[in-house]
Amino acid sequence: MSLVSTTRAGSAEVPREIGPDPAKRGPIARGQRARDRIIRAALEVLAESGLAGFTMEAVARRARASKATIYRRWATQTALLVDAMDLSFRPLPPPATGRLRTDLIELVSALETMLGSQPFPRLLAAMIDAAERDPALSQLHLHLTERRRQPLRDVLAEAQRRGEIAGTVDLELAVDLLVGPAFYRRFIAHQPFPAQGATTVVDSVLRALRYTPINPPGRTSTSPVT
């Protein structure tokens, strides 16, 4: 059975920081609250211990639940991993400025914020490691990555429809150019993001795309792109 087919939408929000000491938690509740708590515990274990330490036993200890409770909801460790990563890799909300440059700066800035604070970078590193080892998880990683790329793709496609960038622009390459510097800086160079990093990246890419802003009625251009 395909591992991707086991993905289910989670309803809990992913905590920005690793959760409290599990010893301080009360007994696990039932129903949806139980599921949410196990998912959060799974994300914490994955962020702290990576794929090698991601076991049903470790998740059960972190959630203060029995393994039987977990197995009633997830038949395999992989099924639990799929649901946990599905929750963690939710796409960013679409921007609403209505202007290509400011929309892109908003999205790239949000990406830098996610990559600059835990637990997301550790979760992403664990997922990349898992994808290298398991072809089915590789497909899941591709699916989750495409979901995160979609807001940028949508903003660029809308700009094409407005005539702000040429219809011949390769949108996939444009997305690569927009997000690539953030991933390189975080995972390869291990450098902090500069204060105006997102703006610099966006303006450089827009220059390469020969961006021609079209202002909505009543607005004047604020774009420095030339």
Side-chain angles (χ1 to χ4, degrees):
M1 179 175 64
S2 169
L3 293 177
V4 176
S5 67
T6 64
T7 302
R8 295 172 294 200
S11 61
E13 294 296 328
V14 180
R16 284 293 180 186
E17 300 294 337
I18 298 301
D21 184 342
K24 297 179 181 179
R25 296 173 173 170
I28 195 162
R30 293 181 177 273
Q32 184 60 41
R33 289 181 61 190
R35 183 180 185 280
D36 293 347
R37 182 155 159 181
I38 293 169
I39 287 286
R40 290 169 189 253
L43 289 171
E44 292 168 9
V45 169
L46 188 64
E48 291 179 359
S49 305
L51 187 64
F54 186 81
T55 65
M56 292 299 218
E57 292 81 0
V59 174
R61 285 195 301 271
R62 177 57 64 105
R64 295 194 66 189
S66 68
K67 286 198 295 182
T69 297
I70 298 178
Y71 277 113
R72 279 198 297 271
R73 292 171 172 83
W74 296 275
T76 66
Q77 178 177 311
T78 299
L80 176 56
L81 176 62
V82 167
D83 272 6
M85 297 312 295
D86 181 62
L87 178 62
S88 179
F89 279 66
R90 294 290 176 83
L92 295 168
T97 71
R99 290 177 288 181
L100 176 60
R101 179 175 179 270
T102 50
D103 280 353
L104 292 178
I105 290 173
E106 182 177 322
L107 287 169
V108 175
S109 295
L111 173 64
E112 289 183 351
T113 297
M114 281 196 310
L115 291 176
S117 59
Q118 296 296 347
F120 184 77
R122 287 199 294 263
L123 292 171
L124 182 57
M127 188 63 197
I128 292 171
D129 180 42
E132 286 294 313
R133 299 168 187 270
D134 186 327
L137 290 177
S138 178
Q139 288 301 307
L140 171 65
H141 186 219
L142 174 61
H143 168 71
L144 297 175
T145 299
E146 286 302 301
R147 284 171 55 183
R148 284 208 169 271
R149 290 168 64 92
Q150 193 61 47
L152 281 165
R153 191 183 293 119
D154 289 343
V155 166
L156 290 165
E158 182 59 32
Q160 274 188 328
R161 287 190 287 271
R162 293 194 301 257
E164 293 178 291
I165 57 176
T168 56
V169 166
D170 184 335
L171 297 187
E172 297 304 320
L173 178 58
V175 173
D176 290 345
L177 294 172
L178 288 163
V179 303
F183 282 93
Y184 181 87
R185 195 171 188 90
R186 176 62 182 82
F187 291 109
I188 306 300
H190 300 288
Q191 294 293 321
F193 298 113
Q196 297 298 316
T199 298
T200 301
V201 168
V202 168
D203 285 343
S204 297
V205 173
L206 289 180
R207 278 193 292 271
L209 299 181
R210 298 182 180 179
Y211 166 54
T212 304
I214 298 176
N215 297 307
R219 291 182 179 174
T220 58
S221 175
T222 58
S223 172
V225 178
T226 58

